[in-house]
Amino acid sequence: MAETFTLYKLIILYMLKKVDFPLSTSQISEFVLDKEYTSYFRLQEALSELAASGLIRTENTHNRTLYHLTENGAQTIHYFGNKISPAIRRDIDEFLKEKQYDLKEETSIKSDYYLTTSKEYEVRCQIVENGSSLIDLKLTVPTEKEAEAIANHWDLNSQELYALILANLL
């Protein structure tokens, strides 16, 4: 049982090692649950343990969690990656190859909001590519409802808004 649970952790580390961007809970879940390797709750437990042990780093926003591989996580998968069967590695590689563009695009668009000391909400909207911000926009609004709406609309319309801003500034 412990060996199987370790495999789930290694699968997550291997997935994060194979991409140059963070993966969200839903992206990792899509692979692991579609292949029926484990249940959602065991997957969450594996993610929590990896984060607690410093093998992955979490980045939380209002509507999702992104996972980054740490240096310790990279070393761990380097030493223990051979514990993942070639068939499972092949499945992961195929999944990432097939979905790479969609996975990367989904995690490159970020939005979050928080209550400021002046009792207003600041919304941060970003498009990140290769670790650099293409755009990093902060807006202040009076209500949480407006902040949430802006964050959600950014997730849906960021590419169009970015192009519009560039077209008007250039």
Side-chain angles (χ1 to χ4, degrees):
M1 182 76 165
E3 205 170 291
T4 306
F5 190 65
T6 300
L7 176 62
Y8 308 150
K9 292 180 192 178
L10 290 173
I11 287 170
I12 295 164
L13 293 175
Y14 183 81
M15 290 179 76
L16 291 171
K17 182 181 185 291
K18 296 297 284 188
V19 295
D20 61 351
F21 51 90
L23 292 174
S24 68
T25 306
S26 64
Q27 292 171 328
I28 295 168
S29 296
E30 180 183 352
F31 172 76
V32 173
L33 299 178
D34 284 356
K35 294 292 184 182
E36 299 180 353
Y37 288 123
T38 190
S39 69
Y40 178 78
F41 298 106
R42 291 293 282 169
L43 176 61
Q44 290 303 310
E45 188 179 353
L47 287 165
S48 293
E49 285 190 19
L50 287 168
S53 63
L55 299 178
I56 61 174
R57 178 178 57 85
T58 60
E59 177 184 348
N60 296 304
T61 65
H62 78 283
N63 64 349
R64 69 179 168 193
T65 302
L66 298 175
Y67 298 95
H68 300 261
L69 187 65
T70 65
E71 182 72 28
N72 287 341
Q75 288 176 356
T76 299
I77 196 62
H78 174 76
Y79 291 120
F80 299 105
N82 62 343
K83 302 278 186 196
I84 303 171
S85 74
I88 293 174
R89 280 191 300 232
R90 192 170 36 257
D91 286 346
I92 294 169
D93 293 345
E94 288 174 10
F95 172 81
L96 294 174
K97 184 178 179 184
E98 178 183 312
K99 303 219 177 220
Q100 183 166 5
Y101 178 78
D102 293 335
L103 295 173
K104 191 170 191 170
E105 184 175 352
E106 182 183 329
T107 59
S108 69
I109 300 164
K110 300 177 181 184
S111 63
D112 202 6
Y113 61 88
Y114 57 91
L115 186 62
T116 66
T117 55
S118 60
K119 303 294 185 219
E120 294 182 304
Y121 287 86
E122 186 168 284
V123 185
R124 184 176 186 194
C125 303
Q126 295 178 286
I127 300 176
V128 178
E129 189 173 285
N130 298 325
S132 299
S133 289
L134 295 180
I135 187 169
D136 193 346
L137 177 67
K138 289 184 183 178
L139 302 165
T140 303
V141 294
T143 68
E144 183 176 12
K145 184 177 179 180
E146 290 171 325
E148 185 173 15
I150 290 169
N152 290 335
H153 286 117
W154 180 256
D155 289 345
L156 297 172
N157 302 308
S158 60
Q159 299 296 333
E160 181 181 322
L161 292 169
Y162 176 68
L164 182 64
I165 290 169
L166 279 184
N168 282 287
L169 293 176
L170 295 176

